[in-house]
Amino acid sequence: MVKSGINFGETFSANPIYVFIITCLLEILQLWNPPILALIRSHILGKLLLGTTFSWWDFPHYIIGCLLGWLWLKFIDKLSYKSHLTG
């Protein structure tokens, strides 16, 4: 979809890649336990955001989630492109 010279489809297509990188970094941070991260994890919000245990089995879920997010964004972009053509 093109509006104001910006191709939003290409911009949104990169979002799942950024999400995958960030979630992988957060997962890897669980292997590291410096005092500042321990302090953050001592609060419930820190535990929810950073997690407490590392698991290799989380990575396939991140990949599946990012692929589904990418497909969803493509679908939305396709719908908005069709509505732009007809309306």
Coordinates of all heavy atoms in Angstrom, one line a residue:
M1 N 0.8 -1.2 0.0 CA 0.0 0.0 0.0 C 0.9 1.2 0.0 O 1.8 1.3 0.8 CB -0.9 0.0 1.2 CG -1.8 1.1 1.4 SD -2.9 0.8 2.7 CE -3.6 2.4 2.9
V2 N 0.6 2.1 -0.9 CA 1.4 3.3 -1.0 C 0.6 4.6 -0.6 O -0.4 4.8 -1.1 CB 2.0 3.5 -2.4 CG1 2.8 4.8 -2.6 CG2 2.8 2.3 -2.9
K3 N 1.1 5.3 0.4 CA 0.5 6.5 0.8 C 1.7 7.5 1.1 O 2.6 7.2 1.7 CB -0.3 6.3 2.1 CG -1.6 5.6 2.0 CD -2.3 5.6 3.3 CE -3.6 4.9 3.2 NZ -4.3 4.8 4.4
S4 N 1.5 8.7 0.5 CA 2.5 9.7 0.7 C 3.9 9.2 0.3 O 4.9 9.6 0.9 CB 2.6 10.2 2.2 OG 1.3 10.5 2.6
G5 N 4.0 8.4 -0.7 CA 5.3 7.9 -1.2 C 6.0 6.9 -0.3 O 7.1 6.5 -0.5
I6 N 5.3 6.4 0.8 CA 5.9 5.4 1.7 C 5.2 4.1 1.4 O 4.0 4.0 1.4 CB 5.7 5.8 3.1 CG1 6.4 7.1 3.4 CG2 6.3 4.7 4.1 CD1 6.2 7.7 4.8
N7 N 6.0 3.0 1.2 CA 5.5 1.7 1.0 C 5.3 1.0 2.4 O 6.3 0.6 3.0 CB 6.4 0.9 0.1 CG 5.7 -0.5 -0.2 OD1 4.9 -1.0 0.5 ND2 6.2 -1.0 -1.3
F8 N 4.1 1.1 2.9 CA 3.9 0.6 4.3 C 4.1 -1.0 4.4 O 4.4 -1.5 5.4 CB 2.5 1.0 4.8 CG 2.4 2.4 5.2 CD1 1.9 3.3 4.3 CD2 2.9 2.9 6.4 CE1 1.8 4.7 4.6 CE2 2.9 4.2 6.7 CZ 2.3 5.1 5.8
G9 N 3.8 -1.7 3.3 CA 4.0 -3.1 3.3 C 5.4 -3.5 3.6 O 5.6 -4.5 4.3
E10 N 6.4 -2.9 3.0 CA 7.8 -3.2 3.2 C 8.2 -2.8 4.7 O 8.9 -3.5 5.3 CB 8.7 -2.5 2.2 CG 8.6 -3.1 0.8 CD 9.5 -2.4 -0.2 OE1 10.3 -1.7 0.2 OE2 9.3 -2.6 -1.4
T11 N 7.7 -1.7 5.1 CA 8.0 -1.3 6.5 C 7.5 -2.2 7.5 O 8.2 -2.7 8.4 CB 7.4 0.1 6.8 OG1 7.8 1.0 5.8 CG2 7.8 0.6 8.1
F12 N 6.2 -2.7 7.4 CA 5.6 -3.6 8.3 C 6.2 -5.0 8.2 O 6.2 -5.7 9.2 CB 4.1 -3.6 8.1 CG 3.4 -2.4 8.6 CD1 2.4 -1.9 7.9 CD2 3.8 -1.8 9.8 CE1 1.7 -0.7 8.3 CE2 3.1 -0.6 10.2 CZ 2.1 -0.1 9.4
S13 N 6.7 -5.3 7.0 CA 7.3 -6.7 6.8 C 8.5 -6.9 7.7 O 8.8 -8.0 8.1 CB 7.6 -6.9 5.4 OG 6.4 -7.0 4.6
A14 N 9.2 -5.8 8.0 CA 10.4 -5.9 8.8 C 10.1 -6.1 10.3 O 10.9 -6.5 11.1 CB 11.3 -4.7 8.6
N15 N 8.9 -5.7 10.8 CA 8.6 -5.7 12.2 C 8.7 -7.1 12.8 O 9.3 -7.2 13.9 CB 7.1 -5.2 12.4 CG 7.1 -3.7 12.3 OD1 8.1 -3.0 12.3 ND2 5.9 -3.1 12.2
P16 N 8.2 -8.2 12.2 CA 8.4 -9.5 12.8 C 9.9 -9.9 13.0 O 10.2 -10.5 14.0 CB 7.7 -10.5 11.8 CG 6.7 -9.6 11.2 CD 7.3 -8.3 11.0
I17 N 10.8 -9.4 12.1 CA 12.2 -9.6 12.3 C 12.7 -8.9 13.5 O 13.5 -9.5 14.3 CB 13.0 -9.2 11.0 CG1 12.5 -10.1 9.8 CG2 14.5 -9.3 11.2 CD1 13.0 -9.6 8.5
Y18 N 12.3 -7.7 13.7 CA 12.7 -6.9 14.9 C 12.2 -7.6 16.2 O 12.9 -7.7 17.2 CB 12.2 -5.5 14.8 CG 12.8 -4.7 13.7 CD1 11.9 -3.8 13.0 CD2 14.1 -4.9 13.2 CE1 12.4 -3.1 11.9 CE2 14.6 -4.2 12.1 CZ 13.7 -3.3 11.5 OH 14.2 -2.6 10.4
V19 N 11.0 -8.1 16.1 CA 10.4 -8.8 17.3 C 11.2 -10.0 17.6 O 11.5 -10.3 18.8 CB 8.9 -9.1 17.0 CG1 8.3 -10.0 18.1 CG2 8.1 -7.8 17.0
F20 N 11.5 -10.8 16.6 CA 12.3 -12.0 16.8 C 13.7 -11.7 17.4 O 14.1 -12.4 18.3 CB 12.5 -12.7 15.4 CG 13.3 -14.0 15.5 CD1 12.7 -15.1 16.1 CD2 14.6 -14.1 15.1 CE1 13.5 -16.3 16.3 CE2 15.3 -15.2 15.2 CZ 14.8 -16.3 15.8
I21 N 14.3 -10.7 16.9 CA 15.6 -10.3 17.5 C 15.5 -9.9 18.9 O 16.3 -10.3 19.8 CB 16.3 -9.2 16.6 CG1 16.7 -9.7 15.2 CG2 17.5 -8.6 17.3 CD1 17.1 -8.7 14.2
I22 N 14.5 -9.1 19.2 CA 14.4 -8.6 20.6 C 14.0 -9.8 21.5 O 14.6 -9.9 22.6 CB 13.3 -7.5 20.7 CG1 13.8 -6.2 20.0 CG2 12.9 -7.2 22.1 CD1 12.8 -5.2 19.7
T23 N 13.1 -10.7 21.1 CA 12.7 -11.8 22.0 C 13.9 -12.7 22.2 O 14.1 -13.3 23.3 CB 11.5 -12.5 21.5 OG1 11.8 -13.0 20.1 CG2 10.3 -11.7 21.5
C24 N 14.7 -12.9 21.1 CA 15.9 -13.8 21.3 C 16.9 -13.2 22.3 O 17.5 -13.8 23.1 CB 16.6 -14.0 20.0 SG 15.6 -15.2 18.9
L25 N 17.1 -11.8 22.2 CA 18.0 -11.2 23.1 C 17.5 -11.3 24.5 O 18.3 -11.5 25.5 CB 18.2 -9.7 22.7 CG 19.0 -9.5 21.4 CD1 19.0 -8.0 21.0 CD2 20.4 -9.9 21.6
L26 N 16.2 -11.1 24.7 CA 15.6 -11.2 26.1 C 15.8 -12.7 26.6 O 16.1 -12.8 27.8 CB 14.1 -10.9 26.1 CG 13.9 -9.4 26.0 CD1 12.4 -9.1 25.8 CD2 14.4 -8.6 27.2
E27 N 15.7 -13.6 25.7 CA 15.9 -15.0 26.1 C 17.3 -15.3 26.5 O 17.6 -15.9 27.6 CB 15.5 -16.0 25.0 CG 15.5 -17.4 25.4 CD 14.4 -17.8 26.4 OE1 13.3 -17.2 26.4 OE2 14.6 -18.8 27.1
I28 N 18.2 -14.7 25.8 CA 19.7 -14.9 26.1 C 20.0 -14.1 27.4 O 20.9 -14.6 28.1 CB 20.5 -14.4 24.9 CG1 20.3 -15.4 23.7 CG2 22.0 -14.3 25.2 CD1 20.9 -15.0 22.4
L29 N 19.4 -13.0 27.6 CA 19.6 -12.3 28.9 C 19.3 -13.1 30.1 O 19.8 -12.9 31.2 CB 18.7 -11.0 28.9 CG 19.3 -9.8 28.4 CD1 18.3 -8.6 28.5 CD2 20.6 -9.4 29.1
Q30 N 18.5 -14.2 29.9 CA 18.1 -15.0 31.1 C 19.3 -15.9 31.5 O 19.3 -16.4 32.6 CB 16.9 -15.9 30.7 CG 15.7 -15.1 30.6 CD 14.5 -15.9 30.1 OE1 14.5 -17.1 30.0 NE2 13.4 -15.2 29.7
L31 N 20.3 -16.0 30.6 CA 21.5 -16.8 31.0 C 22.5 -15.9 31.8 O 23.4 -16.5 32.5 CB 22.3 -17.2 29.7 CG 21.6 -18.2 28.8 CD1 22.3 -18.4 27.5 CD2 21.6 -19.6 29.6
W32 N 22.3 -14.6 31.8 CA 23.2 -13.7 32.5 C 22.5 -13.2 33.7 O 21.3 -12.8 33.7 CB 23.5 -12.6 31.5 CG 24.6 -11.7 31.8 CD1 25.7 -12.0 32.4 CD2 24.6 -10.3 31.6 NE1 26.5 -10.8 32.5 CE2 25.8 -9.8 32.0 CE3 23.7 -9.4 31.0 CZ2 26.2 -8.5 31.9 CZ3 24.1 -8.1 30.8 CH2 25.3 -7.6 31.3
N33 N 23.2 -13.1 34.8 CA 22.5 -12.7 36.1 C 23.3 -11.7 36.8 O 23.7 -11.9 38.0 CB 22.2 -14.0 37.0 CG 21.2 -13.7 38.0 OD1 20.4 -12.7 37.8 ND2 21.1 -14.5 39.0
P34 N 23.6 -10.5 36.2 CA 24.3 -9.5 37.0 C 23.4 -8.9 38.0 O 22.2 -9.0 37.9 CB 24.7 -8.5 35.9 CG 23.7 -8.7 34.9 CD 23.3 -10.1 34.9
P35 N 24.0 -8.2 39.0 CA 23.1 -7.6 40.0 C 22.0 -6.7 39.5 O 20.9 -6.8 40.1 CB 24.1 -6.8 40.9 CG 25.4 -7.4 40.6 CD 25.4 -7.9 39.2
I36 N 22.2 -5.9 38.5 CA 21.1 -5.0 38.0 C 20.0 -5.8 37.5 O 18.8 -5.5 37.7 CB 21.7 -4.0 37.0 CG1 20.6 -3.0 36.6 CG2 22.1 -4.7 35.7 CD1 20.3 -2.0 37.7
L37 N 20.2 -6.9 36.7 CA 19.1 -7.8 36.2 C 18.5 -8.5 37.4 O 17.2 -8.7 37.3 CB 19.6 -8.7 35.1 CG 20.0 -8.1 33.8 CD1 20.5 -9.2 32.8 CD2 18.9 -7.3 33.2
A38 N 19.2 -8.9 38.4 CA 18.7 -9.6 39.5 C 17.7 -8.7 40.3 O 16.6 -9.1 40.7 CB 19.8 -10.1 40.4
L39 N 18.1 -7.4 40.3 CA 17.2 -6.4 41.0 C 16.0 -6.2 40.2 O 14.9 -6.2 40.8 CB 18.0 -5.1 41.1 CG 17.2 -3.9 41.7 CD1 16.9 -4.3 43.2 CD2 18.0 -2.6 41.6
I40 N 16.1 -6.1 38.9 CA 14.9 -6.0 38.0 C 14.0 -7.2 38.2 O 12.8 -7.0 38.3 CB 15.3 -5.7 36.6 CG1 16.0 -4.4 36.4 CG2 14.1 -5.7 35.7 CD1 16.7 -4.1 35.1
R41 N 14.6 -8.4 38.2 CA 13.8 -9.6 38.3 C 13.2 -9.8 39.6 O 12.3 -10.7 39.8 CB 14.7 -10.8 37.9 CG 15.0 -10.9 36.4 CD 15.8 -12.1 36.1 NE 16.2 -12.1 34.7 CZ 17.4 -12.2 34.3 NH1 18.4 -12.3 35.1 NH2 17.7 -12.2 33.0
S42 N 13.6 -9.1 40.6 CA 13.1 -9.3 42.0 C 11.7 -8.7 42.1 O 11.0 -9.0 43.0 CB 14.0 -8.6 43.0 OG 13.9 -7.2 42.9
H43 N 11.2 -7.9 41.1 CA 9.9 -7.4 41.1 C 9.1 -8.2 40.0 O 9.6 -8.7 39.1 CB 9.9 -5.9 40.7 CG 10.7 -5.1 41.6 ND1 10.3 -4.8 42.9 CD2 11.9 -4.6 41.5 CE1 11.2 -4.1 43.5 NE2 12.2 -3.9 42.7
I44 N 7.8 -8.3 40.2 CA 6.9 -9.1 39.4 C 7.0 -8.6 37.9 O 7.0 -9.4 37.0 CB 5.5 -9.2 39.9 CG1 4.6 -10.1 39.1 CG2 4.8 -7.8 39.9 CD1 5.0 -11.6 39.3
L45 N 7.0 -7.3 37.7 CA 7.0 -6.8 36.3 C 8.3 -7.2 35.7 O 8.3 -7.5 34.5 CB 6.8 -5.3 36.3 CG 6.7 -4.6 35.0 CD1 5.5 -5.2 34.2 CD2 6.5 -3.1 35.1
G46 N 9.4 -7.1 36.4 CA 10.7 -7.5 35.8 C 10.7 -9.0 35.5 O 11.3 -9.4 34.4
K47 N 10.1 -9.8 36.3 CA 10.0 -11.3 36.0 C 9.2 -11.5 34.8 O 9.5 -12.3 33.9 CB 9.4 -12.0 37.2 CG 10.4 -12.2 38.3 CD 9.7 -13.0 39.4 CE 10.6 -13.1 40.6 NZ 9.9 -13.8 41.7
L48 N 8.1 -10.8 34.6 CA 7.2 -10.9 33.5 C 7.9 -10.5 32.2 O 7.8 -11.1 31.1 CB 5.9 -10.2 33.7 CG 5.0 -10.8 34.8 CD1 3.8 -9.9 35.0 CD2 4.6 -12.2 34.4
L49 N 8.6 -9.4 32.3 CA 9.3 -8.8 31.1 C 10.6 -9.5 30.7 O 10.8 -9.8 29.5 CB 9.6 -7.3 31.2 CG 8.3 -6.4 31.3 CD1 8.8 -5.0 31.6 CD2 7.6 -6.5 30.0
L50 N 11.4 -9.9 31.6 CA 12.7 -10.5 31.3 C 12.7 -12.0 31.5 O 13.6 -12.6 30.9 CB 13.8 -9.9 32.3 CG 14.0 -8.4 32.1 CD1 15.1 -8.0 33.1 CD2 14.5 -8.1 30.7
G51 N 11.8 -12.5 32.2 CA 11.8 -14.0 32.5 C 12.8 -14.4 33.5 O 13.7 -13.5 33.9
T52 N 12.8 -15.6 33.9 CA 13.8 -16.1 34.9 C 14.6 -17.3 34.5 O 15.7 -17.5 35.0 CB 13.0 -16.4 36.2 OG1 12.0 -17.4 35.9 CG2 12.4 -15.2 36.8
T53 N 14.1 -18.1 33.5 CA 14.8 -19.3 33.1 C 15.0 -19.3 31.6 O 14.1 -19.0 30.8 CB 14.1 -20.5 33.6 OG1 12.8 -20.5 33.0 CG2 14.0 -20.6 35.1
F54 N 16.2 -19.8 31.2 CA 16.5 -19.9 29.8 C 16.0 -21.3 29.3 O 16.1 -22.3 30.0 CB 18.0 -19.8 29.5 CG 18.4 -20.0 28.1 CD1 18.4 -19.0 27.2 CD2 18.8 -21.3 27.7 CE1 18.8 -19.2 25.9 CE2 19.2 -21.5 26.4 CZ 19.2 -20.4 25.5
S55 N 15.4 -21.3 28.1 CA 14.9 -22.6 27.5 C 15.1 -22.5 26.0 O 14.6 -21.6 25.3 CB 13.5 -22.8 27.8 OG 13.0 -24.0 27.1
W56 N 15.8 -23.5 25.4 CA 16.0 -23.5 24.0 C 14.6 -23.7 23.3 O 14.4 -23.4 22.1 CB 16.9 -24.7 23.6 CG 18.3 -24.4 23.8 CD1 19.1 -24.9 24.8 CD2 19.2 -23.5 23.1 NE1 20.4 -24.4 24.8 CE2 20.4 -23.5 23.7 CE3 19.0 -22.7 22.0 CZ2 21.5 -22.7 23.2 CZ3 20.0 -21.9 21.5 CH2 21.3 -21.9 22.1
W57 N 13.7 -24.3 24.0 CA 12.4 -24.6 23.4 C 11.5 -23.3 23.1 O 10.5 -23.4 22.5 CB 11.6 -25.6 24.2 CG 12.1 -27.0 24.0 CD1 12.8 -27.7 24.9 CD2 11.9 -27.8 22.8 NE1 13.1 -28.9 24.3 CE2 12.5 -29.0 23.0 CE3 11.2 -27.6 21.6 CZ2 12.6 -30.0 22.1 CZ3 11.3 -28.6 20.7 CH2 11.9 -29.8 20.9
D58 N 12.0 -22.2 23.7 CA 11.3 -21.0 23.4 C 11.5 -20.4 22.0 O 10.7 -19.8 21.4 CB 11.7 -19.9 24.4 CG 11.1 -20.2 25.8 OD1 10.2 -20.9 25.9 OD2 11.7 -19.6 26.8
F59 N 12.7 -20.7 21.4 CA 13.1 -20.2 20.1 C 12.1 -20.7 19.0 O 11.7 -19.8 18.2 CB 14.5 -20.5 19.8 CG 15.5 -19.7 20.7 CD1 16.0 -20.3 21.8 CD2 15.8 -18.4 20.3 CE1 16.9 -19.6 22.6 CE2 16.7 -17.7 21.1 CZ 17.2 -18.3 22.3
P60 N 11.7 -21.9 18.9 CA 10.8 -22.3 17.9 C 9.4 -21.6 18.0 O 8.8 -21.2 17.0 CB 10.6 -23.8 18.1 CG 11.8 -24.3 18.8 CD 12.2 -23.1 19.6
H61 N 9.0 -21.3 19.2 CA 7.8 -20.5 19.4 C 8.0 -19.1 18.9 O 7.0 -18.5 18.4 CB 7.4 -20.6 20.9 CG 7.1 -21.9 21.4 ND1 8.0 -22.7 22.1 CD2 6.0 -22.7 21.2 CE1 7.5 -23.9 22.4 NE2 6.2 -23.9 21.9
Y62 N 9.1 -18.5 19.2 CA 9.4 -17.2 18.7 C 9.3 -17.1 17.1 O 8.8 -16.2 16.5 CB 10.8 -16.7 19.1 CG 10.9 -16.6 20.6 CD1 12.2 -16.6 21.2 CD2 9.9 -16.4 21.5 CE1 12.4 -16.6 22.6 CE2 10.0 -16.3 22.8 CZ 11.3 -16.4 23.4 OH 11.5 -16.3 24.7
I63 N 9.9 -18.2 16.5 CA 9.9 -18.2 15.0 C 8.5 -18.4 14.5 O 8.1 -17.6 13.6 CB 10.8 -19.4 14.6 CG1 12.3 -19.1 14.9 CG2 10.6 -19.6 13.1 CD1 13.2 -20.3 14.7
I64 N 7.7 -19.3 15.1 CA 6.3 -19.5 14.7 C 5.5 -18.2 14.9 O 4.8 -17.8 14.0 CB 5.7 -20.7 15.4 CG1 6.4 -22.0 15.0 CG2 4.2 -20.7 15.2 CD1 6.0 -23.2 15.9
G65 N 5.7 -17.6 16.0 CA 4.9 -16.3 16.3 C 5.3 -15.2 15.3 O 4.4 -14.5 14.9
C66 N 6.6 -15.1 15.0 CA 7.0 -14.1 14.0 C 6.5 -14.4 12.6 O 6.1 -13.5 11.9 CB 8.5 -13.9 14.1 SG 9.1 -13.1 15.6
L67 N 6.5 -15.6 12.3 CA 6.0 -16.0 10.9 C 4.5 -15.7 10.9 O 4.0 -15.2 9.8 CB 6.2 -17.5 10.6 CG 7.7 -17.8 10.3 CD1 7.8 -19.3 10.2 CD2 8.1 -17.1 9.0
L68 N 3.7 -16.0 11.9 CA 2.3 -15.8 11.9 C 2.1 -14.2 11.9 O 1.1 -13.8 11.2 CB 1.6 -16.4 13.2 CG 1.5 -17.9 13.1 CD1 1.0 -18.4 14.5 CD2 0.7 -18.4 12.0
G69 N 2.9 -13.5 12.6 CA 2.8 -12.0 12.6 C 3.0 -11.5 11.3 O 2.3 -10.6 10.8
W70 N 4.0 -12.0 10.6 CA 4.4 -11.6 9.2 C 3.2 -11.9 8.3 O 2.8 -11.0 7.4 CB 5.6 -12.2 8.8 CG 6.1 -11.8 7.4 CD1 6.7 -10.7 7.0 CD2 5.9 -12.6 6.2 NE1 6.9 -10.7 5.6 CE2 6.4 -11.9 5.1 CE3 5.3 -13.9 5.9 CZ2 6.4 -12.4 3.8 CZ3 5.3 -14.4 4.7 CH2 5.8 -13.6 3.6
L71 N 2.6 -13.1 8.4 CA 1.5 -13.4 7.5 C 0.3 -12.5 7.8 O -0.4 -12.1 6.8 CB 1.1 -14.9 7.7 CG 2.1 -15.9 7.1 CD1 1.7 -17.3 7.6 CD2 2.2 -15.8 5.6
W72 N 0.1 -12.2 9.0 CA -1.0 -11.4 9.4 C -0.8 -9.9 8.8 O -1.8 -9.4 8.3 CB -1.2 -11.3 10.9 CG -2.3 -10.5 11.5 CD1 -3.5 -10.4 10.9 CD2 -2.3 -9.8 12.7 NE1 -4.3 -9.6 11.7 CE2 -3.6 -9.2 12.8 CE3 -1.4 -9.6 13.7 CZ2 -3.9 -8.4 13.9 CZ3 -1.8 -8.8 14.7 CH2 -3.0 -8.2 14.8
L73 N 0.4 -9.4 8.9 CA 0.6 -8.1 8.4 C 0.5 -8.1 6.9 O 0.0 -7.1 6.3 CB 2.0 -7.6 8.8 CG 2.2 -7.3 10.3 CD1 3.7 -7.0 10.6 CD2 1.3 -6.1 10.6
K74 N 0.9 -9.2 6.2 CA 0.8 -9.3 4.8 C -0.7 -9.3 4.4 O -1.2 -8.6 3.4 CB 1.4 -10.5 4.2 CG 2.9 -10.4 4.1 CD 3.3 -9.4 3.1 CE 4.8 -9.4 2.8 NZ 5.2 -8.4 1.9
F75 N -1.5 -10.0 5.2 CA -3.0 -10.1 4.9 C -3.6 -8.7 5.1 O -4.4 -8.3 4.3 CB -3.6 -11.1 5.9 CG -5.1 -11.2 5.8 CD1 -5.7 -11.8 4.7 CD2 -5.9 -10.7 6.8 CE1 -7.0 -11.9 4.5 CE2 -7.3 -10.8 6.7 CZ -7.8 -11.4 5.6
I76 N -3.2 -8.0 6.2 CA -3.8 -6.7 6.4 C -3.4 -5.7 5.3 O -4.2 -4.9 4.8 CB -3.3 -6.1 7.8 CG1 -4.0 -6.9 8.9 CG2 -3.7 -4.7 7.9 CD1 -3.4 -6.7 10.3
D77 N -2.1 -5.8 4.9 CA -1.7 -4.9 3.8 C -2.4 -5.2 2.5 O -2.8 -4.3 1.8 CB -0.2 -5.1 3.6 CG 0.4 -4.1 2.6 OD1 0.1 -2.9 2.8 OD2 1.2 -4.6 1.7
K78 N -2.7 -6.5 2.2 CA -3.4 -6.9 1.0 C -4.8 -6.4 1.1 O -5.4 -5.8 0.1 CB -3.4 -8.4 0.9 CG -3.9 -8.9 -0.5 CD -3.7 -10.4 -0.5 CE -4.0 -10.9 -1.9 NZ -3.8 -12.4 -2.0
L79 N -5.5 -6.5 2.2 CA -6.8 -6.0 2.4 C -6.9 -4.4 2.2 O -7.8 -3.9 1.6 CB -7.4 -6.3 3.8 CG -7.8 -7.8 4.0 CD1 -8.4 -7.9 5.4 CD2 -8.9 -8.1 3.0
S80 N -5.9 -3.7 2.8 CA -5.9 -2.3 2.7 C -5.6 -1.8 1.3 O -6.1 -0.8 0.8 CB -5.0 -1.7 3.7 OG -3.7 -2.1 3.5
Y81 N -4.8 -2.6 0.6 CA -4.5 -2.3 -0.8 C -5.7 -2.4 -1.7 O -6.0 -1.6 -2.5 CB -3.4 -3.2 -1.3 CG -3.0 -2.9 -2.8 CD1 -2.3 -1.7 -3.1 CD2 -3.3 -3.7 -3.8 CE1 -1.9 -1.4 -4.4 CE2 -2.9 -3.4 -5.1 CZ -2.3 -2.3 -5.4 OH -1.9 -2.0 -6.7
K82 N -6.5 -3.5 -1.4 CA -7.7 -3.8 -2.2 C -8.8 -2.7 -1.9 O -9.4 -2.2 -2.8 CB -8.3 -5.1 -1.9 CG -7.6 -6.3 -2.5 CD -8.3 -7.6 -2.1 CE -7.6 -8.8 -2.8 NZ -8.2 -10.0 -2.4
S83 N -8.9 -2.3 -0.6 CA -9.8 -1.2 -0.3 C -9.4 0.1 -0.9 O -10.2 1.0 -1.2 CB -10.0 -1.1 1.2 OG -8.9 -0.6 1.8
H84 N -8.1 0.3 -1.0 CA -7.6 1.5 -1.6 C -7.9 1.6 -3.1 O -8.3 2.6 -3.7 CB -6.1 1.6 -1.4 CG -5.4 2.8 -2.1 ND1 -6.0 4.1 -2.0 CD2 -4.3 2.9 -2.7 CE1 -5.1 4.9 -2.7 NE2 -4.1 4.2 -3.1
L85 N -7.9 0.4 -3.8 CA -8.2 0.4 -5.2 C -9.7 0.6 -5.4 O -10.1 1.2 -6.4 CB -7.8 -1.0 -5.8 CG -6.3 -1.2 -5.9 CD1 -6.0 -2.6 -6.5 CD2 -5.6 -0.2 -6.8
T86 N -10.5 0.0 -4.6 CA -12.0 0.1 -4.8 C -12.6 1.3 -4.2 O -13.7 1.7 -4.6 CB -12.7 -1.2 -4.2 OG1 -12.4 -1.2 -2.8 CG2 -12.2 -2.4 -4.9
G87 N -11.9 1.9 -3.2 CA -12.6 3.1 -2.6 C -11.8 4.3 -2.7 O -11.8 5.4 -2.9

